[in-house]
Amino acid sequence: MGIIRKALTSKPVASLTSPFTVDHYLEQIHPMLAAENVRARVVEVRRETGAASTVVMRPNGAWKGFVPGQHVQFGVEVNGKRRVRVFSVSSSKAAKKGTFSVSVKAHPDGYVSQFLHQELEPGTIVYLSQAEGEFVLPREVPASLLLVSGGSGITPVMSMLRTLRDTRHSGQVTFLHYARSREDEMFTSELDEIAATTDFRVVRVYTRQPEPGAALAGRFIVDHLKHLGVDPAGTLTFACGPAGLIAGVRDTYAELGAADQLRMEYFKVPSVDLDAADATGMLSFDDSKMEAFNSGATILEQAETAGLKPDFGCRMGVCNTCAIKKNSGAVRHVVSGEVSASTDETIKICVQVPIGDVNVAL
């Protein structure tokens, strides 16, 4: 199949099928046939909690696999319209069944996540990107590893944990997860099993309904690491979750001089709360020949308010769907607070707010 796929993606074939791609013709024969485009058939939709589900899929031959921690762009067609969002892979890299899974918490205003949780059925064809992202386990996993997650941020971390279990990793692994309650937690039964059958230390903190006698309580603080005996300076750490959790972990590691040991990804962009001085000037959409007074919202939100329809996927800075060129001006990242004033730089407009006059190629 590799030789056939290479031939189908060659320049001579592309010239023959122009202005369409070869995949345009292949999918007329069967929706799973493709030389380059990744498709997958849904094998199972498994409820994890009242608001979260796991989708198990069998991809076509165009799929190149994933590294634990990566995500995919996940598209479904409903009433003739394709909708795409970004979801993290949650399955083990070591799985041998030719399938992989994403796990998603349904959000009240999330069309795709709601459809996935309530209506998606086995047999459905979904449209995927190749796996993306740099929040991944290294090829050589160090002897000491800490995985921190909060809420639905558990999904990429669960892929890491499952892979470490299935490859019989012998190093010290600490898994620290924050959820509102046991009922709100994803993968509860499997986490119980991993805690009971491996040497991994699995610690869960329920912030709203703590279990009686729990050693740790509340949101992340440095004392939680001290209680677990984790030395941040000597422990490679992966943290994924809502912005508040990530900010707490980031600040703690910075204060301890261990920032180089921390890898981060966040799952929810906080509401924008910036200085009034930032919400000044004009936001110019250069390609559209339009201008708008800077409201202080993200550039994506301001573009949509102005009537533009920029591409977007996750709306939280994980994928690159909304990335465009900033021609001039300064922007602030809504999670990290980092300000960038470089010209001709690529920015993700879902997590950047303009400071003063800003011009973007949109």
Side-chain angles (χ1 to χ4, degrees):
M1 286 298 293
I3 297 176
I4 296 175
R5 179 164 285 106
K6 185 176 181 179
L8 289 173
T9 56
S10 65
K11 289 184 178 179
V13 172
S15 65
L16 288 173
T17 60
S18 179
F20 301 107
T21 66
V22 68
D23 283 348
H24 171 80
Y25 295 100
L26 290 174
E27 67 181 10
Q28 308 304 314
I29 302 172
H30 192 281
M32 287 286 283
L33 279 178
E36 293 184 293
N37 295 333
V38 182
R39 306 282 187 264
R41 187 181 300 277
V42 175
V43 175
E44 179 186 4
V45 181
R46 184 169 59 245
R47 298 288 179 263
E48 299 290 350
T49 69
S53 295
T54 289
V55 180
V56 181
M57 297 165 287
R58 189 179 303 280
N60 64 4
W63 175 244
K64 297 179 181 179
F66 68 95
V67 180
Q70 288 189 308
H71 53 265
V72 295
Q73 297 182 43
F74 182 104
V76 292
E77 285 194 352
V78 183
N79 298 326
K81 184 175 182 179
R82 187 175 301 176
R83 297 174 182 263
V84 181
R85 290 296 181 269
V86 175
F87 300 132
S88 289
V89 177
S90 57
S91 50
S92 170
K93 173 71 174 177
K96 303 294 185 181
K97 300 178 182 178
T99 62
F100 76 100
S101 64
V102 298
S103 299
V104 182
K105 184 174 183 179
H107 295 280
D109 57 349
Y111 184 92
V112 176
S113 64
Q114 287 285 352
F115 178 84
L116 185 154
H117 183 62
Q118 298 179 5
E119 301 182 43
L120 188 64
E121 296 181 350
T124 302
I125 302 297
V126 295
Y127 304 83
L128 306 173
S129 68
Q130 296 291 353
E132 303 168 324
E134 299 178 358
F135 180 78
V136 296
L137 279 179
R139 288 189 176 183
E140 294 186 10
V141 181
S144 182
L145 186 69
L146 172 64
L147 307 176
V148 182
S149 59
S152 56
I154 192 175
T155 51
V157 177
M158 194 66 186
S159 178
M160 297 179 181
L161 187 66
R162 285 168 164 164
T163 300
L164 293 168
R165 174 200 61 193
D166 294 344
T167 55
R168 301 183 183 279
H169 178 66
S170 59
Q172 181 177 339
V173 176
T174 300
F175 173 81
L176 176 60
H177 178 61
Y178 294 84
R180 294 177 180 177
S181 65
R182 187 173 173 86
E183 290 69 28
D184 193 56
E185 178 184 67
M186 300 170 68
F187 315 120
T188 298
S189 297
E190 188 171 357
L191 291 174
D192 289 341
E193 181 182 358
I194 292 174
T197 60
T198 72
D199 291 330
F200 300 165
R201 184 164 43 177
V202 177
V203 181
R204 289 113 93 186
V205 183
Y206 302 128
T207 57
R208 294 191 180 179
Q209 297 179 22
E211 293 192 321
L216 301 179
R219 301 182 185 278
F220 173 86
I221 55 175
V222 67
D223 288 346
H224 290 182
L225 298 182
K226 293 178 180 178
H227 176 83
L228 296 172
V230 173
D231 175 18
T235 305
L236 180 61
T237 300
F238 290 85
C240 183
L245 170 65
I246 299 306
V249 176
R250 180 194 65 216
D251 292 347
T252 295
Y253 273 62
E255 291 171 3
L256 297 175
D260 62 328
Q261 291 281 35
L262 181 60
R263 312 289 183 268
M264 302 176 292
E265 189 161 273
Y266 50 88
F267 257 47
K268 184 177 180 182
V269 175
S271 58
V272 178
D273 183 17
L274 299 174
D275 294 338
D278 290 347
T280 61
M282 300 294 294
L283 176 58
S284 301
F285 304 106
D286 199 50
D287 295 354
S288 304
K289 308 301 181 186
M290 294 177 60
E291 287 185 337
F293 288 105
N294 178 15
S295 68
T298 65
I299 295 175
L300 174 59
E301 291 169 332
Q302 294 194 57
E304 291 172 334
T305 300
L308 301 178
K309 296 182 179 180
D311 292 334
F312 66 88
C314 64
R315 299 186 78 99
M316 56 188 178
V318 176
C319 72
N320 289 302
T321 307
C322 72
I324 63 172
K325 187 174 75 171
K326 174 173 67 67
N327 298 319
S328 62
V331 292
R332 187 191 305 274
H333 195 287
V334 299
V335 175
S336 68
E338 181 179 354
V339 174
S340 175
S342 301
T343 58
D344 295 329
E345 68 173 333
T346 300
I347 61 172
K348 299 178 183 180
I349 59 175
C350 68
V351 289
Q352 297 285 357
V353 296
I355 302 174
D357 293 329
V358 171
N359 183 293
V360 294
L362 184 63

PDB file of all heavy atoms in Angstrom, residues 78-113:
ATOM      1  N   VAL A  78     -22.648  17.143   9.662  1.00  0.00           N
ATOM      2  CA  VAL A  78     -24.016  17.146  10.151  1.00  0.00           C
ATOM      3  C   VAL A  78     -24.846  18.029   9.230  1.00  0.00           C
ATOM      4  O   VAL A  78     -24.515  19.197   9.032  1.00  0.00           O
ATOM      5  CB  VAL A  78     -24.097  17.672  11.600  1.00  0.00           C
ATOM      6  CG1 VAL A  78     -25.527  17.605  12.108  1.00  0.00           C
ATOM      7  CG2 VAL A  78     -23.171  16.884  12.513  1.00  0.00           C
ATOM      8  N   ASN A  79     -25.880  17.445   8.646  1.00  0.00           N
ATOM      9  CA  ASN A  79     -26.755  18.183   7.725  1.00  0.00           C
ATOM     10  C   ASN A  79     -25.963  18.828   6.592  1.00  0.00           C
ATOM     11  O   ASN A  79     -26.224  19.969   6.196  1.00  0.00           O
ATOM     12  CB  ASN A  79     -27.556  19.250   8.479  1.00  0.00           C
ATOM     13  CG  ASN A  79     -28.480  18.645   9.527  1.00  0.00           C
ATOM     14  OD1 ASN A  79     -29.011  17.555   9.321  1.00  0.00           O
ATOM     15  ND2 ASN A  79     -28.662  19.334  10.634  1.00  0.00           N
ATOM     16  N   GLY A  80     -24.966  18.089   6.084  1.00  0.00           N
ATOM     17  CA  GLY A  80     -24.201  18.561   4.946  1.00  0.00           C
ATOM     18  C   GLY A  80     -23.115  19.557   5.270  1.00  0.00           C
ATOM     19  O   GLY A  80     -22.418  20.027   4.362  1.00  0.00           O
ATOM     20  N   LYS A  81     -22.923  19.901   6.538  1.00  0.00           N
ATOM     21  CA  LYS A  81     -21.903  20.867   6.925  1.00  0.00           C
ATOM     22  C   LYS A  81     -20.867  20.200   7.817  1.00  0.00           C
ATOM     23  O   LYS A  81     -21.212  19.538   8.795  1.00  0.00           O
ATOM     24  CB  LYS A  81     -22.539  22.045   7.661  1.00  0.00           C
ATOM     25  CG  LYS A  81     -21.549  23.154   8.006  1.00  0.00           C
ATOM     26  CD  LYS A  81     -22.257  24.345   8.625  1.00  0.00           C
ATOM     27  CE  LYS A  81     -21.269  25.479   8.916  1.00  0.00           C
ATOM     28  NZ  LYS A  81     -21.933  26.665   9.500  1.00  0.00           N
ATOM     29  N   ARG A  82     -19.596  20.384   7.467  1.00  0.00           N
ATOM     30  CA  ARG A  82     -18.525  19.789   8.267  1.00  0.00           C
ATOM     31  C   ARG A  82     -18.095  20.753   9.364  1.00  0.00           C
ATOM     32  O   ARG A  82     -17.811  21.915   9.107  1.00  0.00           O
ATOM     33  CB  ARG A  82     -17.330  19.432   7.399  1.00  0.00           C
ATOM     34  CG  ARG A  82     -16.241  18.657   8.141  1.00  0.00           C
ATOM     35  CD  ARG A  82     -15.135  18.224   7.198  1.00  0.00           C
ATOM     36  NE  ARG A  82     -15.665  17.384   6.124  1.00  0.00           N
ATOM     37  CZ  ARG A  82     -14.921  16.930   5.113  1.00  0.00           C
ATOM     38  NH1 ARG A  82     -13.632  17.234   5.053  1.00  0.00           N
ATOM     39  NH2 ARG A  82     -15.476  16.185   4.168  1.00  0.00           N
ATOM     40  N   ARG A  83     -18.051  20.250  10.569  1.00  0.00           N
ATOM     41  CA  ARG A  83     -17.614  21.050  11.718  1.00  0.00           C
ATOM     42  C   ARG A  83     -16.384  20.388  12.312  1.00  0.00           C
ATOM     43  O   ARG A  83     -16.345  19.170  12.486  1.00  0.00           O
ATOM     44  CB  ARG A  83     -18.721  21.159  12.767  1.00  0.00           C
ATOM     45  CG  ARG A  83     -19.962  21.896  12.247  1.00  0.00           C
ATOM     46  CD  ARG A  83     -21.086  21.845  13.260  1.00  0.00           C
ATOM     47  NE  ARG A  83     -22.298  22.486  12.779  1.00  0.00           N
ATOM     48  CZ  ARG A  83     -22.665  23.724  13.060  1.00  0.00           C
ATOM     49  NH1 ARG A  83     -21.899  24.466  13.846  1.00  0.00           N
ATOM     50  NH2 ARG A  83     -23.788  24.233  12.595  1.00  0.00           N
ATOM     51  N   VAL A  84     -15.380  21.206  12.632  1.00  0.00           N
ATOM     52  CA  VAL A  84     -14.083  20.688  13.079  1.00  0.00           C
ATOM     53  C   VAL A  84     -13.707  21.293  14.424  1.00  0.00           C
ATOM     54  O   VAL A  84     -13.836  22.498  14.631  1.00  0.00           O
ATOM     55  CB  VAL A  84     -12.977  21.007  12.048  1.00  0.00           C
ATOM     56  CG1 VAL A  84     -11.636  20.454  12.509  1.00  0.00           C
ATOM     57  CG2 VAL A  84     -13.346  20.452  10.676  1.00  0.00           C
ATOM     58  N   ARG A  85     -13.255  20.451  15.332  1.00  0.00           N
ATOM     59  CA  ARG A  85     -12.706  20.899  16.594  1.00  0.00           C
ATOM     60  C   ARG A  85     -11.459  20.076  16.901  1.00  0.00           C
ATOM     61  O   ARG A  85     -11.167  19.091  16.223  1.00  0.00           O
ATOM     62  CB  ARG A  85     -13.732  20.756  17.741  1.00  0.00           C
ATOM     63  CG  ARG A  85     -14.903  21.725  17.646  1.00  0.00           C
ATOM     64  CD  ARG A  85     -14.446  23.163  17.785  1.00  0.00           C
ATOM     65  NE  ARG A  85     -15.558  24.107  17.723  1.00  0.00           N
ATOM     66  CZ  ARG A  85     -15.997  24.669  16.620  1.00  0.00           C
ATOM     67  NH1 ARG A  85     -15.433  24.369  15.450  1.00  0.00           N
ATOM     68  NH2 ARG A  85     -16.996  25.529  16.646  1.00  0.00           N
ATOM     69  N   VAL A  86     -10.741  20.448  17.933  1.00  0.00           N
ATOM     70  CA  VAL A  86      -9.491  19.770  18.281  1.00  0.00           C
ATOM     71  C   VAL A  86      -9.672  18.982  19.568  1.00  0.00           C
ATOM     72  O   VAL A  86     -10.113  19.527  20.585  1.00  0.00           O
ATOM     73  CB  VAL A  86      -8.348  20.788  18.447  1.00  0.00           C
ATOM     74  CG1 VAL A  86      -7.077  20.111  18.938  1.00  0.00           C
ATOM     75  CG2 VAL A  86      -8.086  21.498  17.128  1.00  0.00           C
ATOM     76  N   PHE A  87      -9.346  17.695  19.522  1.00  0.00           N
ATOM     77  CA  PHE A  87      -9.456  16.835  20.690  1.00  0.00           C
ATOM     78  C   PHE A  87      -8.153  16.062  20.889  1.00  0.00           C
ATOM     79  O   PHE A  87      -7.487  15.697  19.921  1.00  0.00           O
ATOM     80  CB  PHE A  87     -10.609  15.836  20.535  1.00  0.00           C
ATOM     81  CG  PHE A  87     -11.956  16.479  20.348  1.00  0.00           C
ATOM     82  CD1 PHE A  87     -12.809  16.056  19.340  1.00  0.00           C
ATOM     83  CD2 PHE A  87     -12.367  17.522  21.168  1.00  0.00           C
ATOM     84  CE1 PHE A  87     -14.048  16.647  19.164  1.00  0.00           C
ATOM     85  CE2 PHE A  87     -13.607  18.123  21.001  1.00  0.00           C
ATOM     86  CZ  PHE A  87     -14.453  17.684  19.992  1.00  0.00           C
ATOM     87  N   SER A  88      -7.820  15.785  22.138  1.00  0.00           N
ATOM     88  CA  SER A  88      -6.587  15.058  22.447  1.00  0.00           C
ATOM     89  C   SER A  88      -6.782  13.554  22.332  1.00  0.00           C
ATOM     90  O   SER A  88      -7.843  13.017  22.667  1.00  0.00           O
ATOM     91  CB  SER A  88      -6.122  15.387  23.865  1.00  0.00           C
ATOM     92  OG  SER A  88      -5.633  16.697  23.948  1.00  0.00           O
ATOM     93  N   VAL A  89      -5.746  12.895  21.858  1.00  0.00           N
ATOM     94  CA  VAL A  89      -5.730  11.434  21.853  1.00  0.00           C
ATOM     95  C   VAL A  89      -5.598  10.966  23.298  1.00  0.00           C
ATOM     96  O   VAL A  89      -4.778  11.490  24.056  1.00  0.00           O
ATOM     97  CB  VAL A  89      -4.564  10.903  21.008  1.00  0.00           C
ATOM     98  CG1 VAL A  89      -4.505   9.380  21.070  1.00  0.00           C
ATOM     99  CG2 VAL A  89      -4.686  11.387  19.563  1.00  0.00           C
ATOM    100  N   SER A  90      -6.392   9.973  23.684  1.00  0.00           N
ATOM    101  CA  SER A  90      -6.358   9.499  25.064  1.00  0.00           C
ATOM    102  C   SER A  90      -5.889   8.054  25.188  1.00  0.00           C
ATOM    103  O   SER A  90      -5.685   7.561  26.295  1.00  0.00           O
ATOM    104  CB  SER A  90      -7.751   9.625  25.710  1.00  0.00           C
ATOM    105  OG  SER A  90      -8.719   8.902  24.963  1.00  0.00           O
ATOM    106  N   SER A  91      -5.719   7.372  24.067  1.00  0.00           N
ATOM    107  CA  SER A  91      -5.370   5.954  24.107  1.00  0.00           C
ATOM    108  C   SER A  91      -3.876   5.730  24.240  1.00  0.00           C
ATOM    109  O   SER A  91      -3.072   6.648  24.084  1.00  0.00           O
ATOM    110  CB  SER A  91      -5.895   5.252  22.846  1.00  0.00           C
ATOM    111  OG  SER A  91      -5.502   5.965  21.692  1.00  0.00           O
ATOM    112  N   SER A  92      -3.526   4.484  24.499  1.00  0.00           N
ATOM    113  CA  SER A  92      -2.133   4.099  24.647  1.00  0.00           C
ATOM    114  C   SER A  92      -1.458   3.973  23.289  1.00  0.00           C
ATOM    115  O   SER A  92      -2.039   3.458  22.331  1.00  0.00           O
ATOM    116  CB  SER A  92      -2.030   2.762  25.387  1.00  0.00           C
ATOM    117  OG  SER A  92      -0.716   2.247  25.337  1.00  0.00           O
ATOM    118  N   LYS A  93      -0.230   4.419  23.208  1.00  0.00           N
ATOM    119  CA  LYS A  93       0.563   4.260  21.997  1.00  0.00           C
ATOM    120  C   LYS A  93       0.835   2.788  21.725  1.00  0.00           C
ATOM    121  O   LYS A  93       1.040   2.376  20.579  1.00  0.00           O
ATOM    122  CB  LYS A  93       1.882   5.021  22.159  1.00  0.00           C
ATOM    123  CG  LYS A  93       2.902   4.819  21.046  1.00  0.00           C
ATOM    124  CD  LYS A  93       2.476   5.487  19.764  1.00  0.00           C
ATOM    125  CE  LYS A  93       3.585   5.396  18.718  1.00  0.00           C
ATOM    126  NZ  LYS A  93       3.169   5.986  17.423  1.00  0.00           N
ATOM    127  N   ALA A  94       0.813   1.982  22.775  1.00  0.00           N
ATOM    128  CA  ALA A  94       1.169   0.577  22.656  1.00  0.00           C
ATOM    129  C   ALA A  94      -0.005  -0.307  22.255  1.00  0.00           C
ATOM    130  O   ALA A  94       0.154  -1.517  22.121  1.00  0.00           O
ATOM    131  CB  ALA A  94       1.751   0.075  23.989  1.00  0.00           C
ATOM    132  N   ALA A  95      -1.183   0.273  22.069  1.00  0.00           N
ATOM    133  CA  ALA A  95      -2.340  -0.522  21.668  1.00  0.00           C
ATOM    134  C   ALA A  95      -2.080  -1.183  20.318  1.00  0.00           C
ATOM    135  O   ALA A  95      -1.559  -0.554  19.398  1.00  0.00           O
ATOM    136  CB  ALA A  95      -3.585   0.358  21.605  1.00  0.00           C
ATOM    137  N   LYS A  96      -2.470  -2.454  20.170  1.00  0.00           N
ATOM    138  CA  LYS A  96      -2.163  -3.212  18.960  1.00  0.00           C
ATOM    139  C   LYS A  96      -3.401  -3.524  18.122  1.00  0.00           C
ATOM    140  O   LYS A  96      -3.352  -4.332  17.214  1.00  0.00           O
ATOM    141  CB  LYS A  96      -1.484  -4.539  19.355  1.00  0.00           C
ATOM    142  CG  LYS A  96      -0.213  -4.385  20.177  1.00  0.00           C
ATOM    143  CD  LYS A  96       0.901  -3.715  19.392  1.00  0.00           C
ATOM    144  CE  LYS A  96       2.200  -3.684  20.199  1.00  0.00           C
ATOM    145  NZ  LYS A  96       3.286  -3.007  19.465  1.00  0.00           N
ATOM    146  N   LYS A  97      -4.493  -2.880  18.402  1.00  0.00           N
ATOM    147  CA  LYS A  97      -5.750  -3.232  17.747  1.00  0.00           C
ATOM    148  C   LYS A  97      -6.026  -2.436  16.477  1.00  0.00           C
ATOM    149  O   LYS A  97      -7.059  -2.606  15.843  1.00  0.00           O
ATOM    150  CB  LYS A  97      -6.908  -3.025  18.731  1.00  0.00           C
ATOM    151  CG  LYS A  97      -6.799  -3.874  19.995  1.00  0.00           C
ATOM    152  CD  LYS A  97      -7.951  -3.569  20.936  1.00  0.00           C
ATOM    153  CE  LYS A  97      -7.829  -4.370  22.222  1.00  0.00           C
ATOM    154  NZ  LYS A  97      -8.927  -4.053  23.181  1.00  0.00           N
ATOM    155  N   GLY A  98      -5.106  -1.556  16.080  1.00  0.00           N
ATOM    156  CA  GLY A  98      -5.337  -0.753  14.905  1.00  0.00           C
ATOM    157  C   GLY A  98      -6.332   0.364  15.129  1.00  0.00           C
ATOM    158  O   GLY A  98      -6.856   0.950  14.176  1.00  0.00           O
ATOM    159  N   THR A  99      -6.612   0.656  16.391  1.00  0.00           N
ATOM    160  CA  THR A  99      -7.546   1.727  16.724  1.00  0.00           C
ATOM    161  C   THR A  99      -6.860   2.736  17.641  1.00  0.00           C
ATOM    162  O   THR A  99      -5.809   2.463  18.211  1.00  0.00           O
ATOM    163  CB  THR A  99      -8.790   1.188  17.453  1.00  0.00           C
ATOM    164  OG1 THR A  99      -8.396   0.582  18.694  1.00  0.00           O
ATOM    165  CG2 THR A  99      -9.523   0.169  16.595  1.00  0.00           C
ATOM    166  N   PHE A 100      -7.460   3.906  17.767  1.00  0.00           N
ATOM    167  CA  PHE A 100      -7.040   4.867  18.775  1.00  0.00           C
ATOM    168  C   PHE A 100      -8.278   5.633  19.208  1.00  0.00           C
ATOM    169  O   PHE A 100      -9.350   5.518  18.596  1.00  0.00           O
ATOM    170  CB  PHE A 100      -5.942   5.803  18.253  1.00  0.00           C
ATOM    171  CG  PHE A 100      -6.429   6.877  17.322  1.00  0.00           C
ATOM    172  CD1 PHE A 100      -6.649   8.169  17.776  1.00  0.00           C
ATOM    173  CD2 PHE A 100      -6.678   6.594  15.981  1.00  0.00           C
ATOM    174  CE1 PHE A 100      -7.100   9.161  16.919  1.00  0.00           C
ATOM    175  CE2 PHE A 100      -7.125   7.585  15.123  1.00  0.00           C
ATOM    176  CZ  PHE A 100      -7.335   8.873  15.596  1.00  0.00           C
ATOM    177  N   SER A 101      -8.152   6.418  20.272  1.00  0.00           N
ATOM    178  CA  SER A 101      -9.334   7.088  20.805  1.00  0.00           C
ATOM    179  C   SER A 101      -9.049   8.532  21.182  1.00  0.00           C
ATOM    180  O   SER A 101      -7.910   8.909  21.459  1.00  0.00           O
ATOM    181  CB  SER A 101      -9.869   6.337  22.032  1.00  0.00           C
ATOM    182  OG  SER A 101      -8.923   6.367  23.093  1.00  0.00           O
ATOM    183  N   VAL A 102     -10.108   9.326  21.166  1.00  0.00           N
ATOM    184  CA  VAL A 102     -10.097  10.661  21.751  1.00  0.00           C
ATOM    185  C   VAL A 102     -11.175  10.668  22.827  1.00  0.00           C
ATOM    186  O   VAL A 102     -12.165   9.945  22.734  1.00  0.00           O
ATOM    187  CB  VAL A 102     -10.372  11.770  20.715  1.00  0.00           C
ATOM    188  CG1 VAL A 102      -9.301  11.786  19.643  1.00  0.00           C
ATOM    189  CG2 VAL A 102     -11.759  11.633  20.091  1.00  0.00           C
ATOM    190  N   SER A 103     -10.953  11.475  23.848  1.00  0.00           N
ATOM    191  CA  SER A 103     -11.930  11.583  24.928  1.00  0.00           C
ATOM    192  C   SER A 103     -12.284  13.053  25.108  1.00  0.00           C
ATOM    193  O   SER A 103     -11.398  13.909  25.140  1.00  0.00           O
ATOM    194  CB  SER A 103     -11.375  11.000  26.226  1.00  0.00           C
ATOM    195  OG  SER A 103     -11.084   9.624  26.059  1.00  0.00           O
ATOM    196  N   VAL A 104     -13.579  13.317  25.227  1.00  0.00           N
ATOM    197  CA  VAL A 104     -14.068  14.689  25.149  1.00  0.00           C
ATOM    198  C   VAL A 104     -15.122  14.952  26.210  1.00  0.00           C
ATOM    199  O   VAL A 104     -16.014  14.133  26.416  1.00  0.00           O
ATOM    200  CB  VAL A 104     -14.690  14.957  23.749  1.00  0.00           C
ATOM    201  CG1 VAL A 104     -15.168  16.399  23.644  1.00  0.00           C
ATOM    202  CG2 VAL A 104     -13.698  14.619  22.651  1.00  0.00           C
ATOM    203  N   LYS A 105     -14.997  16.098  26.856  1.00  0.00           N
ATOM    204  CA  LYS A 105     -16.055  16.555  27.746  1.00  0.00           C
ATOM    205  C   LYS A 105     -16.958  17.494  26.980  1.00  0.00           C
ATOM    206  O   LYS A 105     -16.501  18.441  26.348  1.00  0.00           O
ATOM    207  CB  LYS A 105     -15.465  17.276  28.962  1.00  0.00           C
ATOM    208  CG  LYS A 105     -16.522  17.696  29.976  1.00  0.00           C
ATOM    209  CD  LYS A 105     -15.901  18.284  31.239  1.00  0.00           C
ATOM    210  CE  LYS A 105     -16.983  18.633  32.258  1.00  0.00           C
ATOM    211  NZ  LYS A 105     -16.395  19.187  33.509  1.00  0.00           N
ATOM    212  N   ALA A 106     -18.264  17.225  27.008  1.00  0.00           N
ATOM    213  CA  ALA A 106     -19.219  18.041  26.275  1.00  0.00           C
ATOM    214  C   ALA A 106     -19.415  19.381  26.975  1.00  0.00           C
ATOM    215  O   ALA A 106     -19.665  19.428  28.179  1.00  0.00           O
ATOM    216  CB  ALA A 106     -20.561  17.310  26.169  1.00  0.00           C
ATOM    217  N   HIS A 107     -19.274  20.453  26.201  1.00  0.00           N
ATOM    218  CA  HIS A 107     -19.497  21.792  26.738  1.00  0.00           C
ATOM    219  C   HIS A 107     -20.865  22.297  26.281  1.00  0.00           C
ATOM    220  O   HIS A 107     -21.296  22.011  25.159  1.00  0.00           O
ATOM    221  CB  HIS A 107     -18.388  22.737  26.268  1.00  0.00           C
ATOM    222  CG  HIS A 107     -17.043  22.376  26.807  1.00  0.00           C
ATOM    223  ND1 HIS A 107     -16.645  22.700  28.082  1.00  0.00           N
ATOM    224  CD2 HIS A 107     -16.017  21.687  26.249  1.00  0.00           C
ATOM    225  CE1 HIS A 107     -15.422  22.247  28.288  1.00  0.00           C
ATOM    226  NE2 HIS A 107     -15.015  21.620  27.187  1.00  0.00           N
ATOM    227  N   PRO A 108     -21.553  23.049  27.119  1.00  0.00           N
ATOM    228  CA  PRO A 108     -22.909  23.501  26.778  1.00  0.00           C
ATOM    229  C   PRO A 108     -23.000  24.216  25.442  1.00  0.00           C
ATOM    230  O   PRO A 108     -23.981  24.057  24.717  1.00  0.00           O
ATOM    231  CB  PRO A 108     -23.257  24.441  27.942  1.00  0.00           C
ATOM    232  CG  PRO A 108     -22.424  23.945  29.082  1.00  0.00           C
ATOM    233  CD  PRO A 108     -21.147  23.473  28.461  1.00  0.00           C
ATOM    234  N   ASP A 109     -21.971  24.996  25.087  1.00  0.00           N
ATOM    235  CA  ASP A 109     -22.003  25.745  23.833  1.00  0.00           C
ATOM    236  C   ASP A 109     -21.108  25.121  22.774  1.00  0.00           C
ATOM    237  O   ASP A 109     -20.807  25.745  21.762  1.00  0.00           O
ATOM    238  CB  ASP A 109     -21.585  27.200  24.065  1.00  0.00           C
ATOM    239  CG  ASP A 109     -20.201  27.313  24.694  1.00  0.00           C
ATOM    240  OD1 ASP A 109     -19.666  26.281  25.127  1.00  0.00           O
ATOM    241  OD2 ASP A 109     -19.661  28.436  24.764  1.00  0.00           O
ATOM    242  N   GLY A 110     -20.683  23.889  22.988  1.00  0.00           N
ATOM    243  CA  GLY A 110     -19.812  23.214  22.029  1.00  0.00           C
ATOM    244  C   GLY A 110     -20.596  22.274  21.137  1.00  0.00           C
ATOM    245  O   GLY A 110     -20.983  21.176  21.557  1.00  0.00           O
ATOM    246  N   TYR A 111     -20.836  22.678  19.888  1.00  0.00           N
ATOM    247  CA  TYR A 111     -21.677  21.888  18.990  1.00  0.00           C
ATOM    248  C   TYR A 111     -21.083  20.505  18.755  1.00  0.00           C
ATOM    249  O   TYR A 111     -21.779  19.490  18.860  1.00  0.00           O
ATOM    250  CB  TYR A 111     -21.858  22.617  17.657  1.00  0.00           C
ATOM    251  CG  TYR A 111     -22.797  21.906  16.712  1.00  0.00           C
ATOM    252  CD1 TYR A 111     -24.147  22.208  16.685  1.00  0.00           C
ATOM    253  CD2 TYR A 111     -22.325  20.898  15.857  1.00  0.00           C
ATOM    254  CE1 TYR A 111     -25.015  21.542  15.833  1.00  0.00           C
ATOM    255  CE2 TYR A 111     -23.184  20.223  15.002  1.00  0.00           C
ATOM    256  CZ  TYR A 111     -24.520  20.548  14.989  1.00  0.00           C
ATOM    257  OH  TYR A 111     -25.378  19.875  14.153  1.00  0.00           O
ATOM    258  N   VAL A 112     -19.787  20.455  18.409  1.00  0.00           N
ATOM    259  CA  VAL A 112     -19.173  19.173  18.078  1.00  0.00           C
ATOM    260  C   VAL A 112     -19.089  18.271  19.308  1.00  0.00           C
ATOM    261  O   VAL A 112     -19.396  17.082  19.243  1.00  0.00           O
ATOM    262  CB  VAL A 112     -17.782  19.374  17.456  1.00  0.00           C
ATOM    263  CG1 VAL A 112     -17.092  18.031  17.205  1.00  0.00           C
ATOM    264  CG2 VAL A 112     -17.891  20.147  16.148  1.00  0.00           C
ATOM    265  N   SER A 113     -18.672  18.819  20.455  1.00  0.00           N
ATOM    266  CA  SER A 113     -18.554  17.988  21.660  1.00  0.00           C
ATOM    267  C   SER A 113     -19.925  17.477  22.112  1.00  0.00           C
ATOM    268  O   SER A 113     -20.058  16.344  22.576  1.00  0.00           O
ATOM    269  CB  SER A 113     -17.873  18.773  22.787  1.00  0.00           C
ATOM    270  OG  SER A 113     -18.650  19.887  23.185  1.00  0.00           O
TER     271      SER A 113
END
